[in-house]
């Protein structure tokens, strides 16, 4: 058995093929590259039983990951996050089988750790010494920390408005951190220039092929946790859309391996009303999105006005019979409170948006009563202290409580 069954990379736009054992960024045509595996070979040698006794993290699926030598793995124990029943919240929404895939408990505090673990491990395997990326905060934090562990230098550019804790995570790991007075698109432009001038490895979303592979493991875990049953609906808070593309890719690979039935969950791209380019494209039946002007939302991780992989996100939504939904900030912040008070889960605003979307889709009848619905909470609410405004009485020592 090989450790990884990676065979090559391919361009989903022009179909060009690329080698995996040298550094690759985008296809010559400008599209992101996707990783292919020798699934026919793997199918002969590998089944779900082989997972028994493996490490309880995302590396348990190493045959379907791109790192070929286990010595190159850079890990902080990421993956195999809980899939939790949300019975009280589900009952309030009229969804009998509501589950949360909770990425709030993963290293670095957001699911960006998955993409960083696999992306940085592969960068180490390719002997990359310095990488650069623009970020809305969480990706920069995760890549800085994993890069530090790998001994790789990281240059990170993020908007001044990005959650402050993510700044601290970058700074404490010794990354070369810059803030920009603008959006992630402005940060991206600055990084692009620096990559050209200084020959850095460009780790921007989808400009390297391996981040998707890390995020894909959410799809693998969800079906393993459901005993290889495919749920009816998965809701995903969509910025760059990497996780949604990854989950779609994971499930198609498992179908080809014969581990699950030939059925996809309906994939729902959830966006913020203040930045909803994918939703607009989906509503208009288009296959690509347009730049969203003046985007703004409290769900910072999904403030992406134009995603490089938009056509892949839309393909996954169309092909799976899914849909795209925009949620305004008031609604998602209210949902955040409901989730905490009914279920004891302090989710991030992006995660709250997926639950608000489930509620709306159930009300509108798109989600049917008995369906199994998975909402992704992509990070910990603890990373966003500014979303909660606390107004409570301050007591003097010795005061007596009045019951409220
Ligand atoms: C980055 C991020 C997202 C969006 O992820 P994509 O895969 O880029 O769409 C959602 N939630 C949080 C907390 C994030 O940090
Ligand atoms: Zn191409």
């Amino acid at each position: 058995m090989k450790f990884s069954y990676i065979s090559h990379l391919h361009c989903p736009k022009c179909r060009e093929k690329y080698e995996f054992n040298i550094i690759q960024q985008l296809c010559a045509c400008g599209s992101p590259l996707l990783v292919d595996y020798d699934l026919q070979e793997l199918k002969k040698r590998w089944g779900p039983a082989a997972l028994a006794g493996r490490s309880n993290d995302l590396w348990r699926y190493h045959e379907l990951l791109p790192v070929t030598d286990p010595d190159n793995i850079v890990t902080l124990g990421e993956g195999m996050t809980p899939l939790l029943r949300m019975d009280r919240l589900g009952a309030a929404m009229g969804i009998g089988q509501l589950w949360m895939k909770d990425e709030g408990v993963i290293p670095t505090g957001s699911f960006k750790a998955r993409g960083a673990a696999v992306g940085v491990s592969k960068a180490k395997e390719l002997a990359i010494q310095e990488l650069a990326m623009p970020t809305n905060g969480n990706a920069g934090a995760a890549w800085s920390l994993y890069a530090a562990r790998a001994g790789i230098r990281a240059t990170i550019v993020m908007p001044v408005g990005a959650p402050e804790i993510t700044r601290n995570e970058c700074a404490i790991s010794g990354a070369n951190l810059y803030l920009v007075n603008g959006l992630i698109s402005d940060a991206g432009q600055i990084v692009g220039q620096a990559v050209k001038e200084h020959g850095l490895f460009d780790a921007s979303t989808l400009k390297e092929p391996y981040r998707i592979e890390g995020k894909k493991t959410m799809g693998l875990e969800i079906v393993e946790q459901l005993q290889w049953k495919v749920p009816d609906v998965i809701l995903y808070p969509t910025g760059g859309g990497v996780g949604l593309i990854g989950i779609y890719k994971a499930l198609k690979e498992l179908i080809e391996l014969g581990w699950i039935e030939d059925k996809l969950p309906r994939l729902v791209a959830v966006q913020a009303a203040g930045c909803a380019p994918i939703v607009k494209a989906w509503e208009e039946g288009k296959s690509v999105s347009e730049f969203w002007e003046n985007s703004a939302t409290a769900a910072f991780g999904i403030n992406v006005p134009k995603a490089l992989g938009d056509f892949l996100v839309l393909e996954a939504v169309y092909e799976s019979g899914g849909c795209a939904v925009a949620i305004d900030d008031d609604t998602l912040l209210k949902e955040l409170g409901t989730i905490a008070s009914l279920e004891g889960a302090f989710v991030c605003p992006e995660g709250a948006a997926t639950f608000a979307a489930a509620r709306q889709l159930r009300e509108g009848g798109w989600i049917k009563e008995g369906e199994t619905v998975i909402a992704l909470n992509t990070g910990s609410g603890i990373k966003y202290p500014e979303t909660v405004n606390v107004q409570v009485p301050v007591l003097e020592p010795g005061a007596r409580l009045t019951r409220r």
Side-chain angles (χ1 to χ4, degrees), residues 185-205:
S185 38
D186 300 302
Q189 195 263 328
I190 293 169
V191 167
Q193 194 60 32
V195 161
K196 263 195 233 142
E197 282 170 14
H198 307 296
L200 307 175
F201 177 68
D202 193 343
S204 305
T205 308

Side-chain angles (χ1 to χ4, degrees), residues 61 101 114 214-225 228-229 231 234 243 246-251 254 260 376:
Y61 309 111
K101 178 67 172 162
R114 292 181 188 266
K215 288 204 179 174
K216 161 180 108 172
T217 56
M218 288 185 291
L220 302 176
E221 288 176 21
I222 288 170
V223 288
E224 183 176 359
Q225 288 171 316
W228 309 107
K229 296 244 165 46
I234 298 179
I247 291 171
Y248 177 64
K249 184 172 188 287
L251 296 177
L254 288 181
I260 55 172
L376 258 150

Side-chain angles (χ1 to χ4, degrees), residues 293-316:
E293 297 291 343
N294 304 317
S295 63
T297 169
F300 223 79
I302 53 176
N303 189 345
V304 180
K306 165 79 187 171
L308 195 58
D310 56 355
F311 70 103
L312 295 170
V313 176
L314 286 158
E315 180 198 313

Side-chain angles (χ1 to χ4, degrees), residues 111-112 138 215 236-243 301-302 348 350 378-379 384:
F111 78 140
K112 292 292 195 301
N138 285 330
K215 288 204 179 174
Y236 181 81
T238 307
V242 185
I302 53 176
C348 62
E350 297 84 349
T378 42
Y384 302 73

Side-chain angles (χ1 to χ4, degrees), residues 14-69:
C14 75
R15 303 282 148 194
E16 185 68 31
K17 289 189 176 178
Y18 290 85
E19 280 178 53
F20 68 84
N21 42 17
I22 51 173
I23 297 174
Q24 305 284 8
Q25 304 249 232
L26 293 173
C27 178
C29 81
S31 162
L33 295 174
L34 298 177
V35 181
D36 285 322
Y37 297 85
D38 190 350
L39 296 175
Q40 289 319 312
E41 250 334 277
L42 187 52
K43 188 175 180 172
K44 290 184 216 151
R45 296 156 203 258
W46 198 45
L51 298 177
R54 285 204 179 172
S55 63
N56 208 34
D57 58 33
L58 61 79
W59 299 102
R60 65 199 275 103
Y61 309 111
H62 59 78
E63 285 88 343
L64 276 182
L65 292 172
V67 177
T68 59
D69 179 350

Side-chain angles (χ1 to χ4, degrees), residues 50-319:
L51 298 177
R54 285 204 179 172
S55 63
N56 208 34
D57 58 33
L58 61 79
W59 299 102
R60 65 199 275 103
Y61 309 111
H62 59 78
E63 285 88 343
L64 276 182
L65 292 172
V67 177
T68 59
D69 179 350
D71 286 346
N72 291 322
I73 288 177
V74 181
T75 181
L76 292 164
E78 58 289 330
M80 233 356 139
T81 53
L83 183 66
L84 299 170
R85 289 197 63 124
M86 303 294 267
D87 288 343
R88 300 184 72 208
L89 186 64
M93 290 183 186
I95 301 176
Q97 289 281 332
L98 179 66
W99 301 74
M100 170 170 69
K101 178 67 172 162
D102 189 11
E103 300 285 300
V105 296
I106 205 163
T108 80
S110 89
F111 78 140
K112 292 292 195 301
R114 292 181 188 266
V118 174
V120 168
S121 297
K122 192 66 189 173
K124 185 177 170 199
E125 188 155 271
L126 295 167
I128 287 163
Q129 284 167 359
E130 234 183 308
L131 58 81
M133 70 192 304
T135 174
N136 269 335
N138 285 330
W143 282 72
S144 296
L145 289 158
Y146 280 86
R149 190 164 172 83
I152 295 174
R153 217 169 143 58
T155 295
I156 309 288
V157 186
M158 69 168 71
V160 281
E164 224 174 295
I165 189 75
T166 62
R167 237 189 244 185
N168 300 0
E169 290 175 280
C170 294
I172 201 72
S173 69
N176 213 355
L177 174 65
Y178 299 90
L179 304 180
V180 59
N181 236 327
L183 294 178
I184 188 168
S185 38
D186 300 302
Q189 195 263 328
I190 293 169
V191 167
Q193 194 60 32
V195 161
K196 263 195 233 142
E197 282 170 14
H198 307 296
L200 307 175
F201 177 68
D202 193 343
S204 305
T205 308
L206 297 184
K207 289 193 181 169
E208 63 78 51
Y210 302 109
R211 194 199 287 206
I212 293 181
E213 297 305 298
K215 288 204 179 174
K216 161 180 108 172
T217 56
M218 288 185 291
L220 302 176
E221 288 176 21
I222 288 170
V223 288
E224 183 176 359
Q225 288 171 316
L226 293 173
Q227 279 76 47
W228 309 107
K229 296 244 165 46
V230 180
D232 297 297
V233 176
I234 298 179
L235 301 112
Y236 181 81
T238 307
V242 185
L244 194 135
I245 299 166
I247 291 171
Y248 177 64
K249 184 172 188 287
L251 296 177
K252 290 213 305 192
E253 287 171 356
L254 288 181
I255 289 171
E256 215 171 314
L257 287 172
W259 288 27
I260 55 172
E261 60 180 313
D262 188 1
K263 167 196 156 184
L264 290 170
R266 296 179 343 257
L267 297 171
V268 181
V270 180
Q271 297 203 294
C275 183
I278 300 284
V279 177
K280 179 163 183 286
W282 180 79
E283 283 170 348
E284 294 169 353
K286 299 214 169 106
S287 57
V288 290
S289 66
E290 284 162 37
F291 189 92
W292 189 274
E293 297 291 343
N294 304 317
S295 63
T297 169
F300 223 79
I302 53 176
N303 189 345
V304 180
K306 165 79 187 171
L308 195 58
D310 56 355
F311 70 103
L312 295 170
V313 176
L314 286 158
E315 180 198 313
V317 170
Y318 292 128
E319 287 294 312

